[in-house]
């Protein structure tokens, strides 16, 4: 609005200067007014003329105060010329003023119209940016709400893993109380150790996912706050520009305000204003995309989790870029599937181990029963052998007595006849029989001692098997019935 006024003023000045030059060429400059008597008197004094007497001096003032006719004509003609020039200058200024008023009025109206139009365009720009900011604020709000729900689900899933972890650790603790030869590192213990490692890896994965979601929630909130600040500023600016656009020449709520240089220095230019909002929108778009596309970095030996092998972090590096809901769903699906499959493997190992222990216990009990029967039979055998040895005492005494008596026959009667030979053979036979029976008795007693040791070992082993079965069935397998369901492990 200022530029058209300056152009009109400069144009008016050019017109005035050209007309003044023409007037100066046509109008004569008037003579200056002077006192003729005073000049004549001064000349006579300078020429050394004799001074007038006092009577002459008394009338000198009347003669010196008068103008000459030439001066009179010159004076009023100069006045007429000056009046004509002033009239011409006034008419020129009036004409220029009329033209200037007309031009400035049109310029002012046009400038005000342009200003109103620019304010309208500015309002459209502000409304467009404000609408985009509002849209992204709504998206960030919905994304943040969805992320909070997913975070709660992940936290519930993480809490649900504490139960299987406690069950697995308690199973290992209970099985460490097995006795004697049953304290072995069998397949059940291997599967339980795998389950513990799997649960720890699952917990680490869920914690890392929760941290990523929480970080994204914070970024969304910060971005949403920045957008809300920008939206609030644009809302206030829109209200002010709308009020400015409604101002007219007939508005009663307008007044003069000073515009200082400090106020101008604080103003931003249009490119920086657009860039500021675009940066905020770009940041919002980036966070919206990050909310939908989170990078989950896994280090596995394989690209998928395996349930039949031990889970551990390997050297291979796999990156999955998924939609956030798909990401969490896939993580929970994989972890739940792995935990349930490993639980089934442990349960199957328990069943197999219990079956093996039951078969071993049955066989031991059967062997224990046979051992008891053999112990009874051996005891009866020992009694029979002892009776047989005792039964040989009387025949031995008879044979030895007969042989001893016949050694007392006199002289030639002490003959080694057939009865003598028979008696000597009988004594030797009885001695050999007793030696054989006594050796058999010793063997029977040694066998009985071994049978007793075997009976004690079998009884002890049966007790160990019974204790192991009690731990496996009553302690471990009963407690494993409390294993969380698929829905619980999935965070529902």
């Amino acid at each position: 609005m200022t530029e058209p006024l300056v152009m009109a003023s400069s144009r008016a000045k050019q017109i005035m200067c050209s007309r003044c030059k023409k007037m100066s060429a046509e109008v004569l400059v008037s003579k200056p007014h002077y006192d003729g008597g005073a000049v004549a008197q001064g000349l006579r004094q300078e020429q050394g003329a004799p001074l007038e007497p006092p009577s002459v001096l008394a009338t000198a003032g009347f003669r010196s105060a008068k103008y000459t006719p030439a001066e009179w004509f010159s004076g009023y003609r100069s006045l007429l010329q000056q009046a004509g020039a002033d009239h011409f200058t006034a008419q020129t200024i009036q004409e220029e003023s009329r033209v200037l008023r007309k031009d400035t009025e049109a310029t002012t109206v046009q400038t005000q119209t342009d200003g109103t139009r620019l304010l309208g365009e500015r309002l459209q720009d502000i409304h467009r940016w404000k609408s985009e900011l509002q849209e992204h604020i709504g998206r960030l709000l919905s994304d943040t709400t969805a992320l909070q729900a997913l975070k709660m689900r992940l936290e519930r899933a993480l809490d649900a893993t504490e139960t299987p972890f406690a069950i697995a650790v308690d199973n290992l603790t209970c099985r460490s109380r097995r006795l004697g030869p049953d304290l072995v590192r069998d397949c059940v213990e291997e599967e339980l150790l795998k389950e513990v490692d799997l649960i720890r890896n699952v917990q680490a994965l869920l914690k890392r996912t929760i941290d990523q979601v929480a970080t994204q929630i914070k970024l969304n909130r910060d971005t949403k706050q920045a957008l809300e600040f920008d939206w609030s500023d644009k809302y206030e600016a829109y209200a002010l520009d709308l009020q400015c656009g409604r101002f007219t020449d007939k508005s009663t709520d307008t007044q003069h305000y000073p515009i200082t240089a400090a106020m101008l220095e604080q103003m931003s230019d249009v490119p920086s204003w657009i860039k500021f909002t675009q940066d905020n929108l770009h940041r919002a778009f980036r966070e919206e995309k990050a909310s939908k596309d989170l990078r989950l970095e896994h280090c596995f030996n394989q690209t998928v989790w395996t349930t039949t092998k031990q889970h551990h972090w390997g050297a291979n590096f796999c990156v999955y870029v998924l939609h956030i809901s798909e990401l969490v769903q896939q993580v929970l699906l994989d972890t739940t599937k792995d935990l349930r499959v490993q639980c089934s493997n442990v349960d199957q190992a328990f069943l197999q181990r219990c079956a093996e222990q039951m078969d071993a216990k049955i066989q031991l009990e059967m062997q224990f029963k046979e051992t008891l029967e053999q112990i009874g039979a051996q005891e009866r055998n020992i009694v029979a052998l002892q009776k047989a040895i005792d039964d040989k005492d009387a025949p031995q005494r008879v044979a030895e007595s007969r042989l001893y008596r016949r050694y007392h026959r006199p002289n030639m009667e002490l003959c080694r006849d057939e009865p003598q030979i028979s008696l000597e053979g009988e004594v030797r036979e009885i001695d050999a029989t007793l030696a054989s029976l006594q050796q058999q008795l010793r063997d029977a007693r040694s066998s009985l001692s071994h049978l007793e040791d075997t009976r004690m070992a079998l009884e002890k082993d049966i007790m160990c098997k019974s204790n192991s079965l009690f731990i496996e069935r009553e302690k471990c397998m009963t407690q494993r019935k409390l294993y969380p369901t698929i829905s619980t492990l999935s965070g529902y």
Side-chain angles (χ1 to χ4, degrees):
M1 180 175 181
T2 306
E3 292 181 357
L5 291 176
V6 173
M7 294 176 61
S9 177
S10 61
R11 181 182 176 186
K13 288 181 180 181
Q14 291 177 359
I15 296 173
M16 290 177 63
C17 291
S18 61
R19 292 184 178 180
C20 288
K21 288 180 181 179
K22 292 174 65 179
M23 184 181 66
S24 62
E26 296 175 358
V27 181
L28 297 177
V29 179
S30 61
K31 293 183 179 180
H33 177 72
Y34 65 94
D35 190 349
V39 172
Q41 185 178 357
L43 290 175
R44 287 193 297 268
Q45 291 178 355
E46 290 179 359
Q47 295 175 1
L51 295 176
E52 297 292 338
S55 59
V56 177
L57 291 176
T59 60
F62 295 101
R63 286 192 292 266
S64 62
K66 299 294 189 289
Y67 293 99
T68 63
E71 292 174 348
W72 178 77
F73 281 107
S74 176
Y76 87 86
R77 287 174 180 171
S78 297
L79 185 59
L80 291 175
Q81 291 177 358
Q82 183 65 35
D86 292 340
H87 292 170
F88 182 79
T89 301
Q91 291 175 357
T92 303
I93 292 176
Q94 291 172 5
E95 180 65 20
E96 292 176 353
S97 298
R98 185 183 62 78
V99 174
L100 181 61
R101 285 197 310 272
K102 184 177 179 181
D103 293 342
T104 55
E105 182 179 2
T107 303
T108 301
V109 172
Q110 183 63 36
T111 303
Q112 189 179 87
T113 303
D114 294 340
T116 304
R117 178 181 56 80
L118 292 175
L119 282 174
E121 294 176 355
R122 180 67 171 181
L123 287 173
Q124 293 179 358
D125 293 339
I126 294 176
H127 180 73
R128 178 171 57 85
W129 289 116
K130 190 161 63 71
S131 300
E132 291 190 14
L133 289 172
Q134 182 67 35
E135 181 180 358
H136 285 282
I137 289 172
R139 291 179 183 176
L140 287 173
L141 181 61
S142 60
D143 290 343
T144 304
T145 304
L147 288 176
Q148 288 176 340
L150 292 175
K151 181 173 177 287
M152 292 180 62
R153 185 179 172 189
L154 287 170
E155 289 174 348
R156 287 195 297 266
L158 179 61
D159 294 337
T161 58
E162 294 296 332
T163 300
F165 184 78
I167 291 175
V169 172
D170 187 71
N171 290 160
L172 291 172
T173 303
C174 291
R175 298 187 88 248
S176 66
R177 301 191 185 100
R178 291 174 295 172
L179 302 175
D182 283 356
L183 191 60
V184 295
R185 182 160 181 167
D186 51 7
C187 62
V188 177
E189 187 166 352
E190 294 291 339
E191 293 297 332
L192 284 173
L193 291 175
K194 288 181 183 179
E195 187 176 36
V196 171
D197 292 339
L198 173 63
I199 294 173
R200 286 175 178 171
N201 291 334
V202 167
Q203 289 177 343
L205 175 62
L206 291 176
K207 288 179 182 178
R208 187 167 59 255
T209 307
I210 289 173
D211 292 339
Q212 287 181 329
V213 174
T215 301
Q216 190 59 47
I217 289 175
K218 183 178 182 302
L219 292 175
N220 286 358
R221 287 175 175 173
D222 294 340
T223 305
K224 176 175 170 291
Q225 185 179 15
L227 293 183
E228 288 175 344
F229 284 153
D230 195 4
W231 184 90
S232 177
D233 293 341
K234 284 180 171 50
Y235 179 82
E236 186 175 357
Y238 185 87
L240 293 174
D241 286 346
L242 183 62
Q243 184 179 8
C244 292
R246 291 174 178 174
F247 282 154
T248 62
D249 294 340
K250 297 181 180 180
S251 299
T252 59
D253 53 347
T254 57
Q255 60 183 3
H256 294 285
Y257 292 98
I259 305 299
T260 62
M263 296 175 64
L264 296 176
E265 291 177 358
Q266 295 176 358
M267 298 178 66
S268 61
D269 54 0
V270 175
S272 62
W273 176 78
I274 295 176
K275 185 177 183 300
F276 179 77
T277 304
Q278 287 179 345
D279 291 342
N280 287 333
L281 293 175
H282 178 70
R283 179 182 175 186
F285 179 76
R286 184 177 66 249
E287 299 306 331
E288 290 171 10
K289 187 175 184 299
S291 299
K292 295 179 176 60
D293 302 326
L294 281 183
R295 291 182 176 268
L296 179 62
E297 300 176 356
H298 297 290
C299 297
F300 299 109
N301 281 336
Q302 299 178 355
T303 56
V304 295
W305 282 54
T306 59
T307 56
T308 58
K309 298 181 180 180
Q310 184 178 3
H311 291 69
H312 61 278
W313 302 115
N316 294 333
F317 185 73
C318 302
V319 179
Y320 298 96
V321 182
L322 300 173
H323 192 279
I324 178 59
S325 60
E326 297 176 357
L327 166 67
V328 175
Q329 186 67 26
Q330 189 65 34
V331 168
L332 293 175
L333 180 62
D334 291 342
T335 55
T336 301
K337 179 181 178 181
D338 293 337
L339 290 174
R340 291 302 306 180
V341 170
Q342 186 60 30
C343 177
S344 299
N345 292 338
V346 174
D347 293 341
Q348 186 65 31
F350 267 115
L351 292 175
Q352 181 180 355
R353 187 60 178 168
C354 288
E356 293 174 354
Q357 289 179 347
M358 179 59 67
D359 292 339
K361 182 183 177 185
I362 292 174
Q363 294 177 6
L364 289 172
E365 288 176 346
M366 292 175 61
Q367 192 66 34
F368 180 75
K369 183 179 179 181
E370 293 178 359
T371 302
L372 290 178
E373 292 176 356
Q374 289 296 326
I375 288 173
Q378 197 65 275
E379 288 176 348
R380 290 190 298 271
N381 183 37
I382 290 173
V383 172
L385 288 172
Q386 186 65 43
K387 185 177 181 300
I389 292 173
D390 293 340
D391 291 342
K392 294 296 186 288
D393 183 66
Q396 186 182 21
R397 283 186 289 109
V398 171
E400 288 178 353
S401 297
R402 286 177 178 178
L403 187 61
Y404 179 77
R405 294 289 183 183
R406 295 194 81 220
Y407 278 135
H408 289 85
R409 288 177 297 171
N411 299 322
M412 290 300 294
E413 292 297 325
L414 186 61
C415 178
R416 194 170 182 272
D417 52 6
E418 291 182 0
Q420 183 70 25
I421 294 172
S422 176
L423 287 174
E424 290 177 356
E426 185 180 1
V427 170
R428 286 194 301 271
E429 182 182 356
I430 292 174
D431 289 339
T433 301
L434 286 173
S436 176
L437 288 173
Q438 287 175 354
Q439 180 62 37
Q440 193 68 27
L441 180 60
R442 285 192 296 270
D443 292 341
R445 286 176 176 173
S446 176
S447 176
L448 180 62
S449 177
H450 288 305
L451 287 173
E452 289 291 343
D453 293 339
T454 302
R455 180 187 65 80
M456 292 180 62
L458 289 173
E459 188 175 6
K460 184 178 180 181
D461 202 6
I462 290 172
M463 183 181 65
C464 291
K465 296 295 185 291
S466 299
N467 179 67
S468 298
L469 282 172
F470 175 78
I471 291 175
E472 305 287 3
R473 288 179 174 177
E474 303 299 329
K475 294 289 186 180
C476 297
M477 296 187 69
T478 301
Q479 193 174 20
R480 293 192 68 82
K481 293 179 181 179
L482 302 177
Y483 206 90
T485 60
I486 295 178
S487 61
T488 303
L489 292 174
S490 299
Y492 292 109

